[in-house]
Amino acid sequence: MIILRVLGLDPALAGATGYGVVESDGRHCRMVRLGALRPARATTTVRKGGTAAGRTATNGHEHLCRIHQLVSELIEEFAPHSVAVESVFTALNRQTALRLAEVRGVVLLAAAQKGIPVRSYSPREIKAHVSGYGNAGKEQMQQMVRALLGLAETPEPADAADALAVALCHIQAAQAESRMAAGFARGGNLTRRVADVSAQANSPLTSSRATVHATTRQTTRLHPAIPASR
């Protein structure tokens, strides 16, 4: 029985945007789909020193549309419970961070249009949840993704493997939150039981019974012939 299905995304504008769909039954995880969307490059001709020269350039707006279409199609096909996406790396320069934020915005829009919740995780959080070490290297992360999904080989391309790591991070985080909520629920029930017992002990009826028993015991000590009330 599938408990959680997650679409993990590793967004990129200049490079490939990796994606991976992972299912979990609460004990084991299984990869359903992985891949990467690379930006299309258009060739233009420019004049340089009076001669024609070829140059390749990426149409950023067109690529954003393709990412939106990809995410929408993946959500439509696999109906994930959540979308997990890597957050913008704070150490990036301003221009790169803004361009990457555009990709994240397109992802958030596609998920919102389908009514799917989105969770963002920093690179350190992803490494910590998947490998147990926030500074794990890329190769170590790939090996952990392979082990957690029970794959015979390391998933390729690397962008898709990163997306699988994002999905696994969300599954691990969701399971931890579920265990914590269950623990709080048990603690809350225990607190309510203690409060009920305390309230019962302090109720007028209980206090009256305690007074009667205390009076009876005192009378019995003064008059041994009187049997103790039970």
Side-chain angles (χ1 to χ4, degrees):
M1 181 180 67
I2 301 302
I3 296 179
L4 187 61
R5 183 182 299 112
V6 180
L7 168 60
L9 293 164
D10 179 32
L13 186 61
T17 293
Y19 60 90
V21 180
V22 178
E23 292 179 342
S24 173
D25 61 0
R27 299 183 61 187
H28 303 95
C29 294
R30 181 176 73 92
M31 182 194 71
V32 180
R33 175 75 62 84
L34 83 162
L37 176 65
R38 299 187 179 279
R41 293 188 175 275
T43 302
T44 60
T45 302
V46 296
R47 291 286 180 177
K48 185 177 181 180
T51 60
R55 183 180 65 182
T56 58
T58 300
N59 188 332
H61 294 168
E62 180 182 348
H63 186 53
L64 290 175
C65 292
R66 294 177 63 208
I67 293 175
H68 179 274
Q69 181 180 358
L70 170 68
V71 176
S72 299
E73 291 176 351
L74 290 172
I75 293 176
E76 190 71 27
E77 180 177 358
F78 296 102
H81 299 94
S82 302
V83 172
V85 59
E86 183 174 318
S87 60
V88 177
F89 190 36
T90 55
L92 297 174
N93 62 65
R94 180 180 299 179
Q95 182 178 1
T96 303
L98 288 174
R99 295 180 65 189
L100 188 56
E102 292 177 352
V103 181
R104 283 175 42 81
V106 167
V107 170
L108 297 178
L109 173 62
Q113 289 174 333
K114 301 294 184 179
I116 307 298
V118 180
R119 289 285 298 271
S120 296
Y121 299 94
S122 69
R124 180 177 290 272
E125 286 179 307
I126 296 170
K127 293 176 180 180
H129 278 292
V130 175
S131 70
Y133 179 52
N135 292 322
K138 197 171 189 67
E139 183 177 350
Q140 182 179 356
M141 285 292 294
Q142 290 177 342
Q143 292 299 325
M144 285 303 301
V145 169
R146 173 183 174 181
L148 290 173
L149 293 175
L151 302 175
E153 299 179 355
T154 302
E156 295 289 345
D159 307 284
D162 292 341
L164 292 175
V166 178
L168 288 169
C169 169
H170 178 71
I171 291 174
Q172 298 277 6
Q175 291 176 343
E177 291 174 0
S178 178
R179 289 192 295 269
M180 185 177 298
F184 281 135
R186 289 194 296 270
N189 291 335
L190 178 59
T191 302
R192 285 192 293 272
R193 288 197 296 270
V194 172
D196 292 341
V197 171
S198 177
Q200 182 179 1
N202 295 324
S203 66
L205 179 60
T206 304
S207 300
S208 300
R209 288 174 177 173
T211 302
V212 170
H213 286 301
T215 303
T216 302
R217 285 195 298 271
Q218 183 177 4
T219 305
T220 302
R221 286 195 296 271
L222 294 176
H223 304 280
I226 302 177
S229 175
R230 294 184 181 180

